[in-house]
Amino acid sequence: MNDHLKPLTSLRFFAAFWVVMYTYIHELSGNISLGVIEKGYLGVDLFFVLSGFILSYVYLNGFGEGRFKYGQFVIHRLARVYPLHIATLLFTLLLVAAAAVKGVTLDGNADNWAALPAHLTLTQAWGLAPTASFNHPSWSISAEWFAYLGFPVVAFLAWRLRERPIVAVSLAICFLVAVNLIFARLAGFELTHATFQWGALRIVPSFLYGSALYLAWRSGAVAKPGVALIGTGIALLTVVFSTSFGQSDILTVVALGLLVLSISGLAQDEKGILSGKTLVYLGEISFATYMIYVPWKWVYLKSVNALLGTDHAPLPFLWWFAGLLALLPLSMLAHHLVERPFRKIVRHYGERLHGAITHSWVKEG
């Protein structure tokens, strides 16, 4: 792994943990309400900003220099997200079938079969799924897929502005603010709450923002460790302030972008905590954590409530913490047994198929 990506990989763990806590905290007995946790759905927007930054880091120079291969890029991105998505979808379908046999309800929309085609084609966040069905967090993977397919447009804009990072970041922030304000006015709710209906739109401004922030990093904006450290502190304080005191989600997303940029500058400190093996590894398995936490929550809550003789009651702390902690080994299993090996398989056969199709076109031409 490139050292410049280690702190950002660690940041992925905190983004996933933020989302998990947002959902899981309500299963704990006692009236606990923290602004930062209640805004945990913004961890998805942090993922979107990170995605725009990292993909630009990896592919932008190749795009500008004519070395970018779109077909190979799409195969690699599909290999990154699709195997674990299908695995969790199949597991969810098994849970739905088992629940039906036992006469148990997992979730009101868990078994909306009309949404299955959209889930199979990764288009459930494009307005093609009628409800938040099956493994609901996968809507964000559908949104990522939308961004992947449109990446050449983002790369074209970023390459044109590569020597003007201040302009790029300013335009990206203005676009983010404008899209969010216009959407809220027209839809009646904030874009940061959009999932299966408008998720594909939600990723666009954040993804563009991440790409623009990469240009700022590329220009050396956080090359000095002191600047990166101060920026990280300001960003974190802004996130805590905006989430704790009811400020607009737009301010939080902008601050999350500053956090991504600043933390990318901390990579120069190879002994820093965010470059440590433990946090980097947790970041590497964070996609698995994000994809399995809802099905696991269903299984765990039903099992514990049955054991305790309760009916979906909030859990005592020790039971609650045990379920949260169990996500770690389960994420490791999903990462090493599904995500990594099947990523290689999809890449291998995808590239072979792409090569055969390309060869056939060239031959016919």
Side-chain angles (χ1 to χ4, degrees):
M1 178 187 300
N2 194 303
D3 287 341
H4 289 307
L5 296 182
K6 284 184 177 180
L8 296 184
T9 300
S10 298
L11 185 58
R12 284 170 47 194
F13 161 71
F14 291 104
F17 184 72
W18 196 14
V19 177
V20 171
M21 285 297 292
Y22 163 70
T23 300
Y24 202 60
I25 193 67
H26 299 292
E27 308 302 335
L28 176 63
S29 62
N31 187 19
I32 297 177
S33 180
L34 295 174
V36 173
I37 295 178
E38 294 298 330
K39 292 284 188 174
Y41 56 86
L42 295 176
V44 176
D45 298 275
L46 176 54
F47 271 123
F48 291 164
V49 175
L50 274 167
S51 184
F53 187 104
I54 293 173
L55 287 187
S56 297
Y57 175 94
V58 175
Y59 293 104
L60 185 60
N61 281 344
F63 178 88
E65 296 167 4
R67 294 182 285 106
F68 179 78
K69 298 179 180 179
Y70 184 65
Q72 185 183 67
F73 169 81
V74 169
I75 291 169
H76 286 190
R77 302 323 301 168
L78 185 65
R80 176 71 178 86
V81 300
Y82 199 66
L84 193 54
H85 164 62
I86 290 299
T88 53
L89 176 62
L90 290 174
F91 182 71
T92 303
L93 292 175
L94 288 175
L95 287 180
V96 168
V101 170
K102 291 184 171 291
V104 176
T105 301
L106 290 176
D107 183 270
N109 295 314
D111 56 351
N112 189 335
W113 297 100
L116 186 59
H119 279 261
L120 292 173
T121 56
L122 273 181
T123 55
Q124 65 268 37
W126 300 16
L128 300 178
T131 58
S133 313
F134 305 111
N135 187 24
H136 179 50
S138 68
W139 74 264
S140 63
I141 307 306
S142 170
E144 287 277 2
W145 180 236
F146 180 81
Y148 296 160
L149 295 177
F151 179 72
V153 177
V154 177
F156 173 79
L157 295 173
W159 188 252
R160 292 290 297 271
L161 293 171
R162 66 189 182 281
E163 302 299 333
R164 294 181 285 176
I166 295 178
V167 173
V169 173
S170 299
L171 288 174
I173 292 176
C174 289
F175 181 70
L176 187 151
V177 172
V179 170
N180 277 267
L181 290 178
I182 293 172
F183 180 88
R185 184 67 179 270
L186 296 177
F189 64 95
E190 294 187 49
L191 184 59
T192 50
H193 290 280
T195 56
F196 68 95
Q197 287 182 314
W198 292 98
L201 175 62
R202 179 174 171 181
I203 194 175
V204 172
S206 295
F207 192 89
L208 283 167
Y209 184 32
S211 183
L213 290 168
Y214 162 72
L215 297 181
W217 174 88
R218 189 172 181 264
S219 71
V222 290
K224 296 181 179 179
V227 173
L229 191 60
I230 292 172
T232 300
I234 293 174
L236 285 173
L237 287 173
T238 304
V239 169
V240 172
F241 169 79
S242 61
T243 55
S244 300
F245 296 97
Q247 302 301 305
S248 170
D249 285 353
I250 301 173
L251 174 61
T252 306
V253 175
V254 172
L256 290 173
L258 175 60
L259 183 65
V260 170
L261 174 61
S262 301
I263 285 180
S264 69
L266 297 177
Q268 299 169 78
D269 182 8
E270 297 180 0
K271 296 182 180 180
I273 186 172
L274 291 178
S275 294
K277 291 182 179 180
T278 300
L279 279 180
V280 170
Y281 177 72
L282 290 174
E284 289 174 348
I285 67 172
S286 62
F287 176 53
T289 303
Y290 178 76
M291 290 298 289
I292 70 171
Y293 84 93
V294 166
W296 166 242
K297 188 182 77 167
W298 288 343
V299 172
Y300 185 73
L301 291 179
K302 293 293 183 183
S303 300
V304 173
N305 276 285
L307 182 64
L308 298 178
T310 54
D311 183 20
H312 196 73
L315 302 180
F317 177 78
L318 288 179
W319 283 104
W320 177 86
F321 184 72
L324 182 64
L325 192 62
L327 271 174
L328 177 59
L330 292 173
S331 299
M332 294 168 65
L333 288 173
H335 176 72
H336 291 287
L337 297 182
V338 179
E339 184 182 351
R340 290 185 63 182
F342 282 93
R343 182 192 310 170
K344 293 179 181 178
I345 292 172
V346 173
R347 277 192 175 195
H348 175 72
Y349 286 102
E351 288 178 355
R352 285 185 60 180
L353 178 61
H354 178 256
I357 293 174
T358 302
H359 178 73
S360 175
W361 285 351
V362 171
K363 187 175 180 181
E364 291 179 2

